[in-house]
Amino acid sequence: MLKPLKEKVTLGHLRSARQSGQKTAMLTCYDYTTARLMQAAGVPALLVGDSAANVILGHPTTLPVSLSFMIEITAAVRRGAPLAFLVADMPFGSYQASVAQGTRNICRMVKQSQCDCVKIEVTAHHLPLIRSLAAAGVPVMAHLGLRPQSVGVLGGYKYQGRTADEAASIVALALQMEEAGAVALLIEAVPPEVANAVIQRTSLPVIGCGAGPGCHGCVIVTHDGLGLTPSRPKFVPNLAELGDPLREAFGKYVHAVSTGAYPSAEHQYTMAPAEQDRLKAWIEKTDKNSPC
Ligand code: KIV
């Protein structure tokens, strides 16, 4: 069942998936160990999402996570999964101030993390930045639909494209992104009709996150799929319920330590009997209460 990655997954694979109909499975990943397991399981595409702010750092929104933290964890994921197509999320504040600031920070992310692509949450305001990055040769995935970094203006984590007008403006933005040089689209929390319209009007690979079955690939926050977050969003599949086994394992450890069952003989390092005797003699000789 498991098919570990054998060769490097590139943008070419995502592009050809658009023609072949082969869907791309993408998972969020935030650390080296999980990245190793994902590569061994054959996960072709990994996203180091700014959802790290929520599931790794415990913030209620994605806004507080820093660029240096995102670079550090993206580089760790790269070391764990050198063959996966690795997308790095640019955090809030790292590309909004100007084209120069965005280009500088995105180039820093690419150089220091060795990611294959960067993702930014876009409005039409970002078109000059996308053009500048395309000119610099940086592959950009444009994130449309629900944009969690704009939760304030969107008025909460609500799905987008509810009306025909809203849907049309998402499609128009997707087209502008393609024309400006984005290499892929990610569309979050929209009805399938909206994603399908984007797919029909553009020629880029489209990754959906709660956007229906028409997309060329799907991404979910791994912790949601594994049952590690307090609630699983409607569109996320139940991959496993790891919360209870983990809680049980931690409880087992507390019990073993507190009852003295751990560590037992099997968990101890050994000292040769002759060295034990020498140590005993030294302790006796240097015992501060010893008469000599
Ligand atoms: O940060 C993230 O994990 C994301 C996905 C939810 C698409 O952007």
Side-chain angles (χ1 to χ4, degrees):
M1 162 101 166
L2 291 185
K3 285 199 191 136
L5 297 184
K6 290 271 168 36
E7 56 171 31
K8 176 79 189 125
V9 183
T10 64
L11 181 59
H13 289 82
L14 266 72
R15 284 185 172 138
S16 59
R18 203 184 144 108
Q19 268 79 54
S20 67
Q22 175 78 44
K23 305 272 183 174
T24 302
M26 180 185 260
L27 285 170
T28 64
C29 188
Y30 316 97
D31 70 312
Y32 166 81
T33 301
T34 311
R36 269 183 54 228
L37 295 172
M38 287 180 174
Q39 176 161 303
V43 183
L46 306 183
L47 167 66
V48 183
D50 62 356
S51 49
N54 312 125
V55 296
I56 303 299
L57 298 178
H59 294 294
T61 71
T62 57
L63 305 186
V65 72
S66 70
L67 175 60
S68 48
F69 181 80
M70 290 300 295
I71 292 174
E72 188 89 39
I73 62 171
T74 307
V77 170
R78 175 81 297 166
R79 287 189 286 273
L83 298 179
F85 185 74
L86 179 58
V87 181
D89 220 354
M90 292 305 293
F92 177 70
S94 67
Y95 60 94
Q96 283 84 356
S98 65
V99 171
Q101 179 230 24
T103 308
R104 206 168 34 244
N105 283 336
I106 288 167
C107 289
R108 187 177 148 209
M109 168 64 89
V110 172
K111 281 168 84 131
Q112 295 182 2
S113 75
Q114 307 281 302
C115 63
D116 298 304
C117 183
V118 293
K119 175 169 88 57
I120 60 177
E121 297 183 11
V122 293
T123 63
H125 167 79
H126 298 109
L127 287 166
L129 175 60
I130 304 284
R131 284 190 202 102
S132 159
L133 292 166
V138 178
V140 178
M141 179 177 278
H143 181 151
L144 317 160
L146 174 59
R147 291 169 290 111
Q149 291 177 12
S150 303
V151 61
V153 288
L154 296 179
Y157 296 99
K158 298 176 183 151
Y159 76 85
Q160 303 293 301
R162 293 172 185 234
T163 64
D165 285 348
E166 267 178 40
S169 54
I170 292 173
V171 175
L173 184 59
L175 266 170
Q176 287 179 306
M177 290 297 145
E178 176 167 21
E179 279 157 19
V183 299
L185 302 172
L186 185 148
I187 183 156
E188 178 170 353
V190 295
E193 293 78 5
V194 181
N196 293 344
V198 168
I199 289 162
Q200 210 183 18
R201 291 292 174 90
T202 62
S203 55
L204 298 177
V206 179
I207 304 292
C209 179
C215 297
H216 308 110
C218 295
V219 63
I220 57 166
V221 171
T222 298
H223 290 56
D224 289 334
L226 298 181
L228 295 174
T229 43
S231 66
R232 178 178 283 123
K234 173 189 170 75
F235 67 87
V236 174
N238 181 354
L239 304 178
E241 284 293 352
L242 297 188
D244 285 342
L246 284 177
R247 267 187 292 274
E248 265 166 44
F250 301 146
K252 202 167 150 186
Y253 178 66
V254 171
H255 184 257
V257 172
S258 57
T259 58
Y262 173 84
S264 66
E266 65 183 301
H267 304 115
Q268 295 167 28
Y269 296 110
T270 54
M271 186 183 241
E275 292 304 317
Q276 289 182 33
D277 291 345
R278 286 186 60 219
L279 177 62
K280 202 169 150 208
W282 176 82
I283 288 169
E284 279 163 7
K285 198 169 119 198
T286 56
D287 182 353
K288 64 178 184 315
N289 300 321
S290 145
C292 45

PDB file of all heavy atoms in Angstrom, residues 26 28 30 47-52 54 62 70 89 119 121 143 148 186-188 208-209 219-221 235, ligand 1:
ATOM      1  N   MET A  26      -1.566  16.592  -1.019  1.00  0.00           N
ATOM      2  CA  MET A  26      -0.664  17.500  -0.318  1.00  0.00           C
ATOM      3  C   MET A  26      -1.083  17.545   1.151  1.00  0.00           C
ATOM      4  O   MET A  26      -2.289  17.565   1.456  1.00  0.00           O
ATOM      5  CB  MET A  26      -0.761  18.901  -0.942  1.00  0.00           C
ATOM      6  CG  MET A  26       0.134  19.934  -0.309  1.00  0.00           C
ATOM      7  SD  MET A  26      -0.159  21.581  -1.025  1.00  0.00           S
ATOM      8  CE  MET A  26       1.185  21.699  -2.144  1.00  0.00           C
ATOM      9  N   THR A  28      -0.044  19.353   5.117  1.00  0.00           N
ATOM     10  CA  THR A  28       0.805  20.317   5.810  1.00  0.00           C
ATOM     11  C   THR A  28       1.816  19.544   6.650  1.00  0.00           C
ATOM     12  O   THR A  28       1.552  18.430   7.118  1.00  0.00           O
ATOM     13  CB  THR A  28       0.014  21.269   6.731  1.00  0.00           C
ATOM     14  OG1 THR A  28      -0.599  20.524   7.778  1.00  0.00           O
ATOM     15  CG2 THR A  28      -1.023  22.065   5.958  1.00  0.00           C
ATOM     16  N   TYR A  30       5.362  20.332   9.433  1.00  0.00           N
ATOM     17  CA  TYR A  30       6.045  21.413  10.153  1.00  0.00           C
ATOM     18  C   TYR A  30       7.362  20.970  10.800  1.00  0.00           C
ATOM     19  O   TYR A  30       7.965  21.743  11.530  1.00  0.00           O
ATOM     20  CB  TYR A  30       5.133  21.969  11.262  1.00  0.00           C
ATOM     21  CG  TYR A  30       3.701  22.185  10.824  1.00  0.00           C
ATOM     22  CD1 TYR A  30       2.714  21.232  11.090  1.00  0.00           C
ATOM     23  CD2 TYR A  30       3.342  23.335  10.128  1.00  0.00           C
ATOM     24  CE1 TYR A  30       1.398  21.429  10.675  1.00  0.00           C
ATOM     25  CE2 TYR A  30       2.041  23.535   9.709  1.00  0.00           C
ATOM     26  CZ  TYR A  30       1.072  22.571   9.988  1.00  0.00           C
ATOM     27  OH  TYR A  30      -0.222  22.775   9.571  1.00  0.00           O
ATOM     28  N   LEU A  47       3.108  21.141   2.346  1.00  0.00           N
ATOM     29  CA  LEU A  47       2.966  22.582   2.558  1.00  0.00           C
ATOM     30  C   LEU A  47       3.365  22.905   3.987  1.00  0.00           C
ATOM     31  O   LEU A  47       2.765  22.365   4.935  1.00  0.00           O
ATOM     32  CB  LEU A  47       1.492  23.004   2.341  1.00  0.00           C
ATOM     33  CG  LEU A  47       1.132  24.415   2.823  1.00  0.00           C
ATOM     34  CD1 LEU A  47       1.870  25.490   2.007  1.00  0.00           C
ATOM     35  CD2 LEU A  47      -0.383  24.654   2.749  1.00  0.00           C
ATOM     36  N   VAL A  48       4.385  23.741   4.131  1.00  0.00           N
ATOM     37  CA  VAL A  48       4.683  24.254   5.472  1.00  0.00           C
ATOM     38  C   VAL A  48       3.793  25.483   5.628  1.00  0.00           C
ATOM     39  O   VAL A  48       4.133  26.588   5.192  1.00  0.00           O
ATOM     40  CB  VAL A  48       6.176  24.582   5.637  1.00  0.00           C
ATOM     41  CG1 VAL A  48       6.457  25.042   7.070  1.00  0.00           C
ATOM     42  CG2 VAL A  48       7.019  23.359   5.301  1.00  0.00           C
ATOM     43  N   GLY A  49       2.609  25.248   6.169  1.00  0.00           N
ATOM     44  CA  GLY A  49       1.595  26.290   6.241  1.00  0.00           C
ATOM     45  C   GLY A  49       1.826  27.211   7.428  1.00  0.00           C
ATOM     46  O   GLY A  49       2.416  26.816   8.438  1.00  0.00           O
ATOM     47  N   ASP A  50       1.290  28.438   7.294  1.00  0.00           N
ATOM     48  CA  ASP A  50       1.350  29.322   8.466  1.00  0.00           C
ATOM     49  C   ASP A  50       0.329  28.874   9.512  1.00  0.00           C
ATOM     50  O   ASP A  50       0.240  29.442  10.599  1.00  0.00           O
ATOM     51  CB  ASP A  50       1.184  30.800   8.076  1.00  0.00           C
ATOM     52  CG  ASP A  50      -0.155  31.097   7.430  1.00  0.00           C
ATOM     53  OD1 ASP A  50      -0.944  30.158   7.202  1.00  0.00           O
ATOM     54  OD2 ASP A  50      -0.423  32.284   7.149  1.00  0.00           O
ATOM     55  N   SER A  51      -0.411  27.788   9.202  1.00  0.00           N
ATOM     56  CA  SER A  51      -1.243  27.131  10.222  1.00  0.00           C
ATOM     57  C   SER A  51      -0.349  26.594  11.343  1.00  0.00           C
ATOM     58  O   SER A  51      -0.839  26.188  12.396  1.00  0.00           O
ATOM     59  CB  SER A  51      -2.082  26.000   9.613  1.00  0.00           C
ATOM     60  OG  SER A  51      -1.277  25.150   8.815  1.00  0.00           O
ATOM     61  N   ALA A  52       0.980  26.614  11.141  1.00  0.00           N
ATOM     62  CA  ALA A  52       1.925  26.328  12.230  1.00  0.00           C
ATOM     63  C   ALA A  52       1.640  27.247  13.416  1.00  0.00           C
ATOM     64  O   ALA A  52       1.844  26.863  14.570  1.00  0.00           O
ATOM     65  CB  ALA A  52       3.356  26.521  11.755  1.00  0.00           C
ATOM     66  N   ASN A  54      -1.159  28.043  14.533  1.00  0.00           N
ATOM     67  CA  ASN A  54      -2.235  27.427  15.323  1.00  0.00           C
ATOM     68  C   ASN A  54      -1.768  26.119  15.953  1.00  0.00           C
ATOM     69  O   ASN A  54      -1.767  25.969  17.166  1.00  0.00           O
ATOM     70  CB  ASN A  54      -3.466  27.134  14.453  1.00  0.00           C
ATOM     71  CG  ASN A  54      -3.885  28.301  13.589  1.00  0.00           C
ATOM     72  OD1 ASN A  54      -3.998  28.172  12.381  1.00  0.00           O
ATOM     73  ND2 ASN A  54      -4.098  29.447  14.196  1.00  0.00           N
ATOM     74  N   THR A  62      -3.503  32.838  12.383  1.00  0.00           N
ATOM     75  CA  THR A  62      -2.179  32.582  11.774  1.00  0.00           C
ATOM     76  C   THR A  62      -1.301  33.837  11.794  1.00  0.00           C
ATOM     77  O   THR A  62      -0.148  33.778  11.378  1.00  0.00           O
ATOM     78  CB  THR A  62      -2.347  32.124  10.305  1.00  0.00           C
ATOM     79  OG1 THR A  62      -3.082  33.126   9.590  1.00  0.00           O
ATOM     80  CG2 THR A  62      -3.062  30.799  10.212  1.00  0.00           C
ATOM     81  N   MET A  70       9.160  30.431  10.211  1.00  0.00           N
ATOM     82  CA  MET A  70       8.697  29.701   9.021  1.00  0.00           C
ATOM     83  C   MET A  70       9.887  29.187   8.206  1.00  0.00           C
ATOM     84  O   MET A  70       9.854  28.075   7.674  1.00  0.00           O
ATOM     85  CB  MET A  70       7.795  30.598   8.157  1.00  0.00           C
ATOM     86  CG  MET A  70       6.436  30.919   8.772  1.00  0.00           C
ATOM     87  SD  MET A  70       5.426  29.465   9.121  1.00  0.00           S
ATOM     88  CE  MET A  70       5.117  28.838   7.480  1.00  0.00           C
ATOM     89  N   ASP A  89       4.813  28.601   3.032  1.00  0.00           N
ATOM     90  CA  ASP A  89       3.848  29.691   3.203  1.00  0.00           C
ATOM     91  C   ASP A  89       4.578  30.939   3.690  1.00  0.00           C
ATOM     92  O   ASP A  89       5.380  30.860   4.627  1.00  0.00           O
ATOM     93  CB  ASP A  89       2.852  29.263   4.297  1.00  0.00           C
ATOM     94  CG  ASP A  89       1.434  29.650   3.969  1.00  0.00           C
ATOM     95  OD1 ASP A  89       1.223  30.353   2.964  1.00  0.00           O
ATOM     96  OD2 ASP A  89       0.531  29.230   4.719  1.00  0.00           O
ATOM     97  N   LYS A 119       4.035  30.201  -1.204  1.00  0.00           N
ATOM     98  CA  LYS A 119       2.590  30.486  -1.298  1.00  0.00           C
ATOM     99  C   LYS A 119       2.310  31.815  -0.620  1.00  0.00           C
ATOM    100  O   LYS A 119       2.815  32.073   0.478  1.00  0.00           O
ATOM    101  CB  LYS A 119       1.783  29.367  -0.622  1.00  0.00           C
ATOM    102  CG  LYS A 119       0.283  29.648  -0.570  1.00  0.00           C
ATOM    103  CD  LYS A 119      -0.494  28.430  -0.158  1.00  0.00           C
ATOM    104  CE  LYS A 119      -0.662  28.247   1.331  1.00  0.00           C
ATOM    105  NZ  LYS A 119      -1.298  29.362   2.039  1.00  0.00           N
ATOM    106  N   GLU A 121      -1.079  34.619   0.169  1.00  0.00           N
ATOM    107  CA  GLU A 121      -2.527  34.864   0.117  1.00  0.00           C
ATOM    108  C   GLU A 121      -2.729  36.166  -0.640  1.00  0.00           C
ATOM    109  O   GLU A 121      -2.197  37.205  -0.239  1.00  0.00           O
ATOM    110  CB  GLU A 121      -3.088  34.942   1.535  1.00  0.00           C
ATOM    111  CG  GLU A 121      -2.919  33.623   2.267  1.00  0.00           C
ATOM    112  CD  GLU A 121      -3.528  33.608   3.664  1.00  0.00           C
ATOM    113  OE1 GLU A 121      -4.277  34.537   4.033  1.00  0.00           O
ATOM    114  OE2 GLU A 121      -3.248  32.646   4.397  1.00  0.00           O
ATOM    115  N   HIS A 143      -2.839  31.938  -3.298  1.00  0.00           N
ATOM    116  CA  HIS A 143      -3.878  31.391  -2.409  1.00  0.00           C
ATOM    117  C   HIS A 143      -5.112  32.303  -2.471  1.00  0.00           C
ATOM    118  O   HIS A 143      -5.052  33.471  -2.095  1.00  0.00           O
ATOM    119  CB  HIS A 143      -3.281  31.319  -0.997  1.00  0.00           C
ATOM    120  CG  HIS A 143      -4.183  30.768   0.059  1.00  0.00           C
ATOM    121  ND1 HIS A 143      -3.692  30.104   1.174  1.00  0.00           N
ATOM    122  CD2 HIS A 143      -5.521  30.780   0.221  1.00  0.00           C
ATOM    123  CE1 HIS A 143      -4.694  29.745   1.954  1.00  0.00           C
ATOM    124  NE2 HIS A 143      -5.820  30.149   1.401  1.00  0.00           N
ATOM    125  N   PRO A 148      -6.945  33.155   5.426  1.00  0.00           N
ATOM    126  CA  PRO A 148      -6.946  33.324   6.883  1.00  0.00           C
ATOM    127  C   PRO A 148      -6.151  34.529   7.382  1.00  0.00           C
ATOM    128  O   PRO A 148      -6.447  35.053   8.457  1.00  0.00           O
ATOM    129  CB  PRO A 148      -6.335  32.000   7.386  1.00  0.00           C
ATOM    130  CG  PRO A 148      -6.631  31.015   6.294  1.00  0.00           C
ATOM    131  CD  PRO A 148      -6.533  31.801   5.018  1.00  0.00           C
ATOM    132  N   LEU A 186      -4.005  27.887  -5.106  1.00  0.00           N
ATOM    133  CA  LEU A 186      -4.600  27.128  -4.003  1.00  0.00           C
ATOM    134  C   LEU A 186      -5.891  27.853  -3.672  1.00  0.00           C
ATOM    135  O   LEU A 186      -5.892  29.077  -3.502  1.00  0.00           O
ATOM    136  CB  LEU A 186      -3.673  27.082  -2.787  1.00  0.00           C
ATOM    137  CG  LEU A 186      -4.175  26.203  -1.627  1.00  0.00           C
ATOM    138  CD1 LEU A 186      -3.002  25.579  -0.873  1.00  0.00           C
ATOM    139  CD2 LEU A 186      -5.070  26.959  -0.649  1.00  0.00           C
ATOM    140  N   ILE A 187      -6.980  27.109  -3.627  1.00  0.00           N
ATOM    141  CA  ILE A 187      -8.267  27.758  -3.370  1.00  0.00           C
ATOM    142  C   ILE A 187      -8.891  27.119  -2.142  1.00  0.00           C
ATOM    143  O   ILE A 187      -9.054  25.905  -2.067  1.00  0.00           O
ATOM    144  CB  ILE A 187      -9.149  27.744  -4.643  1.00  0.00           C
ATOM    145  CG1 ILE A 187     -10.460  28.473  -4.414  1.00  0.00           C
ATOM    146  CG2 ILE A 187      -9.390  26.371  -5.195  1.00  0.00           C
ATOM    147  CD1 ILE A 187     -11.079  28.999  -5.700  1.00  0.00           C
ATOM    148  N   GLU A 188      -9.166  27.970  -1.146  1.00  0.00           N
ATOM    149  CA  GLU A 188      -9.604  27.459   0.154  1.00  0.00           C
ATOM    150  C   GLU A 188     -11.063  27.814   0.428  1.00  0.00           C
ATOM    151  O   GLU A 188     -11.487  28.968   0.224  1.00  0.00           O
ATOM    152  CB  GLU A 188      -8.710  28.052   1.260  1.00  0.00           C
ATOM    153  CG  GLU A 188      -9.131  27.594   2.659  1.00  0.00           C
ATOM    154  CD  GLU A 188      -8.150  27.945   3.770  1.00  0.00           C
ATOM    155  OE1 GLU A 188      -7.044  28.445   3.482  1.00  0.00           O
ATOM    156  OE2 GLU A 188      -8.502  27.701   4.947  1.00  0.00           O
ATOM    157  N   GLY A 208      -7.009  22.267  -4.023  1.00  0.00           N
ATOM    158  CA  GLY A 208      -8.171  22.679  -3.236  1.00  0.00           C
ATOM    159  C   GLY A 208      -7.992  22.364  -1.759  1.00  0.00           C
ATOM    160  O   GLY A 208      -7.366  21.362  -1.394  1.00  0.00           O
ATOM    161  N   CYS A 209      -8.548  23.228  -0.931  1.00  0.00           N
ATOM    162  CA  CYS A 209      -8.573  22.977   0.515  1.00  0.00           C
ATOM    163  C   CYS A 209     -10.023  23.261   0.910  1.00  0.00           C
ATOM    164  O   CYS A 209     -10.399  24.425   1.089  1.00  0.00           O
ATOM    165  CB  CYS A 209      -7.592  23.932   1.204  1.00  0.00           C
ATOM    166  SG  CYS A 209      -7.548  23.763   2.988  1.00  0.00           S
ATOM    167  N   VAL A 219      -5.273  19.674  -0.284  1.00  0.00           N
ATOM    168  CA  VAL A 219      -4.425  19.848   0.894  1.00  0.00           C
ATOM    169  C   VAL A 219      -5.313  19.957   2.123  1.00  0.00           C
ATOM    170  O   VAL A 219      -6.422  20.509   2.045  1.00  0.00           O
ATOM    171  CB  VAL A 219      -3.502  21.091   0.763  1.00  0.00           C
ATOM    172  CG1 VAL A 219      -4.264  22.399   0.661  1.00  0.00           C
ATOM    173  CG2 VAL A 219      -2.505  21.163   1.919  1.00  0.00           C
ATOM    174  N   ILE A 220      -4.837  19.393   3.212  1.00  0.00           N
ATOM    175  CA  ILE A 220      -5.521  19.560   4.507  1.00  0.00           C
ATOM    176  C   ILE A 220      -4.456  19.837   5.563  1.00  0.00           C
ATOM    177  O   ILE A 220      -3.275  19.518   5.360  1.00  0.00           O
ATOM    178  CB  ILE A 220      -6.332  18.303   4.933  1.00  0.00           C
ATOM    179  CG1 ILE A 220      -5.423  17.064   4.995  1.00  0.00           C
ATOM    180  CG2 ILE A 220      -7.515  18.076   4.019  1.00  0.00           C
ATOM    181  CD1 ILE A 220      -6.052  15.889   5.727  1.00  0.00           C
ATOM    182  N   VAL A 221      -4.892  20.402   6.675  1.00  0.00           N
ATOM    183  CA  VAL A 221      -3.994  20.546   7.826  1.00  0.00           C
ATOM    184  C   VAL A 221      -3.892  19.149   8.458  1.00  0.00           C
ATOM    185  O   VAL A 221      -4.894  18.564   8.885  1.00  0.00           O
ATOM    186  CB  VAL A 221      -4.542  21.596   8.820  1.00  0.00           C
ATOM    187  CG1 VAL A 221      -3.741  21.585  10.121  1.00  0.00           C
ATOM    188  CG2 VAL A 221      -4.499  22.986   8.188  1.00  0.00           C
ATOM    189  N   PHE A 235     -14.754  19.444   5.772  1.00  0.00           N
ATOM    190  CA  PHE A 235     -14.195  18.901   4.523  1.00  0.00           C
ATOM    191  C   PHE A 235     -12.988  17.994   4.737  1.00  0.00           C
ATOM    192  O   PHE A 235     -12.455  17.444   3.777  1.00  0.00           O
ATOM    193  CB  PHE A 235     -13.804  20.058   3.585  1.00  0.00           C
ATOM    194  CG  PHE A 235     -12.662  20.898   4.093  1.00  0.00           C
ATOM    195  CD1 PHE A 235     -11.346  20.550   3.823  1.00  0.00           C
ATOM    196  CD2 PHE A 235     -12.898  22.034   4.857  1.00  0.00           C
ATOM    197  CE1 PHE A 235     -10.293  21.307   4.306  1.00  0.00           C
ATOM    198  CE2 PHE A 235     -11.853  22.801   5.343  1.00  0.00           C
ATOM    199  CZ  PHE A 235     -10.544  22.429   5.063  1.00  0.00           C
TER     200      PHE A 235
HETATM  201  O1  KIV B   1      -1.482  27.401   6.390  1.00  0.00           O
HETATM  202  C1  KIV B   1      -2.082  26.432   5.908  1.00  0.00           C
HETATM  203  O2  KIV B   1      -2.056  25.321   6.427  1.00  0.00           O
HETATM  204  C2  KIV B   1      -2.823  26.648   4.674  1.00  0.00           C
HETATM  205  C3  KIV B   1      -3.761  25.584   4.238  1.00  0.00           C
HETATM  206  C4  KIV B   1      -4.926  25.506   5.127  1.00  0.00           C
HETATM  207  C5  KIV B   1      -4.168  25.774   2.834  1.00  0.00           C
HETATM  208  O3  KIV B   1      -2.672  27.662   4.067  1.00  0.00           O
END
